[in-house]
Amino acid sequence: MSRKILYTCLLLSNEDQRYIMECFDSFIPKDWKIYCHHMTIRFGDIKETDDDDLVRFIKENEGKEFNMKLISFGESDKAMAVKVETDCPSKNEIKHITIAVSQNGKPYDSNKIINWRKINKEILIKGTLTNILQ
């Protein structure tokens, strides 16, 4: 029996995770949980009957590396994230990487951030299109 896909993402290398944390660590309260792992493309399993453009893109590009440029830093009382520019599509309205969440926050809360500040230095990273299994 094959395992189901929990979500599809651009998975960051350990090196890029460390780099992002070096850039933004001073903004994160000590009691927040660190994520800084991926940019979500799509939640849920891909079924054989799924035939939309995003599913086709995922199937054609699994394992490929994509460039990402960090363009803004956002925060709320529940989450901190960086907004990214990339050629890889996403179901999320704002393409982002959740950096950390508060004790009562969830990674999903990054989707609700409205306060974004432009990042003034060029920060380039890469992510590998990966299906994360349950």
Side-chain angles (χ1 to χ4, degrees), residues 78-114:
K78 292 186 176 184
M80 291 182 177
V82 286
K83 191 184 297 187
V84 302
E85 282 181 353
T86 181
D87 291 338
C88 183
S90 173
K91 284 260 190 192
N92 286 332
E93 185 177 329
I94 296 174
K95 297 175 186 180
H96 67 275
I97 297 165
T98 299
I99 295 176
V101 300
S102 67
Q103 290 182 348
N104 63 341
K106 301 278 185 217
Y108 174 80
D109 291 316
S110 293
N111 291 296
K112 301 175 189 175
I113 293 173
I114 55 173

Side-chain angles (χ1 to χ4, degrees), residues 12-54:
L12 303 176
S13 68
N14 290 337
E15 180 179 291
D16 281 339
Q17 289 177 38
R18 281 191 297 275
Y19 182 57
I20 293 171
M21 291 308 298
E22 286 172 13
C23 293
F24 299 100
D25 187 49
S26 63
F27 298 100
I28 304 169
K30 297 296 179 214
D31 62 340
W32 282 36
K33 182 175 181 182
I34 304 297
Y35 282 88
C36 197
H37 179 258
H38 67 272
M39 182 203 85
T40 302
I41 297 170
R42 179 186 190 278
F43 268 101
D45 200 21
I46 296 174
K47 299 169 189 67
E48 290 299 318
T49 56
D50 286 345
D51 191 35
D52 63 32
D53 290 340
L54 184 57

